[in-house]
Amino acid sequence: MTETLLLFLRGFLIGISIAAPVGPIGVLCIRRTLTEGKLKGFLSGMGAASADMVYGAVAAFGLTMITDVLVENKFWFRVIGGCFLLYLGIKTFLEKPADHAAQVKQSGYFGAYLSTFFLTITNPMTILSFAAIFAGTMNIGTTNSPMVLVAGVFAGSASWWLALSFGVGLMRDRLTTVHMAWINRISGIIITAFGVVSLLQL
């Protein structure tokens, strides 16, 4: 029981460490929280956490065939991901802020989740990071250790996005329409820049 808990905590810390760096997903989550509400920001983060869990499972369970396919086709994954970032960045830059928080449509919640899941899953290099970390972590002899580790990764990543979205959400009531318009512009520029860099790295 102690070994299982320790492994879960290791996975939890891995999940936080992978989710915490502010990249395009972080910028998108912050922007959606400030302009569209805490729930939409949190669901955006959960899309990334779900993709992290998928890649964590692939690395933890040693699914080498899937890993090989992802790495061999990383060029096209990067093209797709980079183009999607450009689309999101330009769309965010041009989007006009809502006058009231109540204008956020519930139908957009699944789209918020799916967009960040897609962005994260189209970065197959993430699996190499998981594989490197897991290589030094999978040393505890419990029969269900891969499952425990993956559960910890998901819990850690989800906790980070929950804290970020609700923490940023506390500032939302202080923002005016003008502030939100600038948030859209700045976020759009940053997300577009991430897309350009991703494509240039090809």
Side-chain angles (χ1 to χ4, degrees):
M1 182 64 182
T2 303
E3 292 179 347
T4 301
L5 179 59
L6 179 59
L7 192 62
F8 178 85
L9 290 176
R10 289 186 182 184
F12 188 87
L13 292 175
I14 291 172
I16 291 178
S17 65
I18 290 176
V22 179
I25 305 298
V27 173
L28 196 60
C29 180
I30 291 171
R31 179 256 165 189
R32 284 177 176 171
T33 300
L34 289 174
T35 60
E36 301 179 69
K38 290 180 282 189
L39 180 57
K40 203 160 190 180
F42 174 63
L43 289 176
S44 298
M46 288 302 293
S50 298
D52 285 342
M53 182 178 65
V54 171
Y55 275 145
V58 171
F61 286 95
L63 303 178
T64 55
M65 184 176 69
I66 297 178
T67 304
D68 292 341
V69 170
L70 290 170
V71 174
E72 287 174 6
N73 293 280
K74 65 181 180 181
F75 174 85
W76 295 111
F77 276 103
R78 192 176 288 275
V79 168
I80 294 170
C83 290
F84 191 57
L85 279 174
L86 289 179
Y87 162 75
L88 273 181
I90 295 171
K91 180 176 180 292
T92 300
F93 183 87
L94 297 175
E95 190 168 311
K96 294 181 179 179
D99 293 330
H100 301 91
Q103 292 182 0
V104 177
K105 296 181 180 179
Q106 193 170 9
S107 60
Y109 291 148
F110 181 69
Y113 170 88
L114 200 61
S115 62
T116 50
F117 178 85
F118 178 80
L119 274 176
T120 308
I121 211 72
T122 52
N123 182 16
M125 298 309 291
T126 304
I127 197 172
L128 298 181
S129 301
F130 274 110
I133 294 172
F134 282 16
T137 305
M138 297 291 294
N139 57 359
I140 297 180
T142 54
T143 56
N144 60 343
S145 56
M147 187 180 300
V148 172
L149 193 62
V150 171
V153 168
F154 178 75
S157 183
S159 297
W160 167 258
W161 294 117
L162 179 66
L164 180 67
S165 59
F166 277 79
V168 172
L170 294 176
M171 300 184 294
R172 187 168 181 252
D173 293 337
R174 304 176 185 176
L175 299 176
T176 66
T177 304
V178 174
H179 291 143
M180 291 183 179
W182 275 106
I183 289 170
N184 283 352
R185 293 168 189 162
I186 295 171
S187 299
I189 292 172
I190 294 173
I191 294 170
T192 302
F194 275 115
V196 171
V197 170
S198 179
L199 293 174
L200 288 177
Q201 288 177 342
L202 294 173

